[in-house]
Amino acid sequence: MRQTQIPLQRKKRERQAKRAEILSAARKVFATKGYERATLDEIAELAEFAKGTLYNYFDSKETLFREIVESILDEMIHIAEQALAEGGPVRDQFCRYAVRTLEYYRTNEDLLHILVREIHRTHMKEDLSAIIKRVHAIASVLASALRREMNKRLIIKDDPAELAHVFVGMIHNRAMRRSFTLPGLTAVDCEAEATFLTRLFFDGAARS
């Protein structure tokens, strides 16, 4: 029994490793070529696999792209979870989340451009429910911290999930606006941007 399990576990690890290599190669190809121009042949070549191997894991370019979109959002959920798990005042938690999210945008800028352009195309519409579910998951993580602050009467009483969506949207919109202008996100001071957005969210735009 034990001898049977070891090869099965090894095969599972090998399959997971191949799948990860394909996804890594696909992210690079989509980021440089765009969705329409990217081909499975290029992805297979970069991953150093035969094209047929790709079909053992993904049945189409659309499926592969959807998996990448979902993996990006899963990574962003993890960023939110880690930022809040480290504790401290809620403002520090939100600022930490904003810094790391902006850094993630900056590191993956080319790929995120493609995501923004492609997510509204026909081939992605059927996948929007899974995408929306993950976006709600990010807001849900932040909402839990806001709910605690509301219970302490330290911030206004409102729907914490809606407020969390506002904060997530502020970061996304700010990053996208900076990304599509020169010199782009590469020149953005993520710490300064995060501090500004956190202050704006919690204090508003009024001058004291």
Side-chain angles (χ1 to χ4, degrees):
M1 181 72 173
R2 185 176 178 81
Q3 290 179 342
T4 303
Q5 287 178 343
I6 292 173
L8 287 175
Q9 291 172 355
R10 183 164 54 243
K11 286 181 180 179
K12 184 178 180 180
R13 287 196 302 270
E14 289 172 353
R15 183 171 177 81
Q16 289 173 339
K18 284 184 179 180
R19 195 171 188 278
E21 288 176 32
I22 292 169
L23 285 170
S24 177
R27 286 178 73 141
K28 292 174 184 175
V29 173
F30 284 131
T32 55
K33 291 292 189 75
Y35 177 81
E36 294 298 336
R37 292 174 56 218
T39 67
L40 290 178
D41 290 298
E42 291 172 304
I43 294 169
E45 182 180 356
L46 186 60
E48 298 183 344
F49 292 129
K51 185 178 178 181
T53 302
L54 266 64
Y55 284 109
N56 291 331
Y57 297 85
F58 304 97
D59 59 13
S60 66
K61 185 171 75 169
E62 291 84 354
T63 302
L64 187 49
F65 187 73
R66 180 179 66 239
E67 182 83 11
I68 289 170
V69 172
E70 292 177 0
S71 70
I72 287 172
L73 292 172
D74 285 341
E75 288 165 9
M76 298 184 82
I77 292 170
H78 182 68
I79 288 171
E81 290 172 340
Q82 285 295 106
L84 270 63
E86 291 173 24
V90 70
R91 288 190 184 215
D92 291 351
Q93 294 176 31
F94 272 53
C95 191
R96 193 183 301 133
Y97 161 73
V99 169
R100 294 175 186 176
T101 299
L102 288 168
E103 289 174 343
Y104 184 87
Y105 273 88
R106 185 165 64 181
T107 303
N108 298 277
E109 187 172 9
D110 290 344
L111 185 59
L112 289 166
H113 280 188
I114 302 221
L115 191 155
V116 169
R117 285 200 299 267
E118 298 294 340
I119 204 167
H120 299 295
R121 290 184 185 270
T122 304
H123 64 81
M124 288 296 295
K125 286 181 180 177
E126 64 188 49
D127 305 317
L128 282 178
S129 60
I131 293 169
I132 291 169
K133 182 178 179 180
R134 283 170 167 79
V135 172
H136 284 320
I138 297 170
S140 179
V141 173
L142 300 177
S144 63
L146 290 176
R147 193 174 291 109
R148 288 192 294 271
E149 293 297 288
M150 289 177 192
N151 291 336
K152 297 176 188 175
R153 300 189 178 185
L154 296 176
I155 60 174
I156 60 171
K157 187 88 173 170
D158 205 324
D159 183 340
E162 286 300 315
L163 289 177
H165 274 292
V166 169
F167 190 65
V168 171
M170 287 170 64
I171 297 170
H172 174 80
N173 292 335
R174 185 80 166 184
M176 287 297 100
R177 185 173 181 277
R178 292 298 184 99
S179 184
F180 284 100
T181 59
L182 293 174
L185 271 174
T186 53
V188 168
D189 183 335
C190 294
E191 292 273 357
E193 288 287 310
T195 300
F196 167 74
L197 291 171
T198 304
R199 179 169 54 80
L200 187 62
F201 177 74
F202 283 100
D203 298 336
R207 298 188 69 171
S208 56

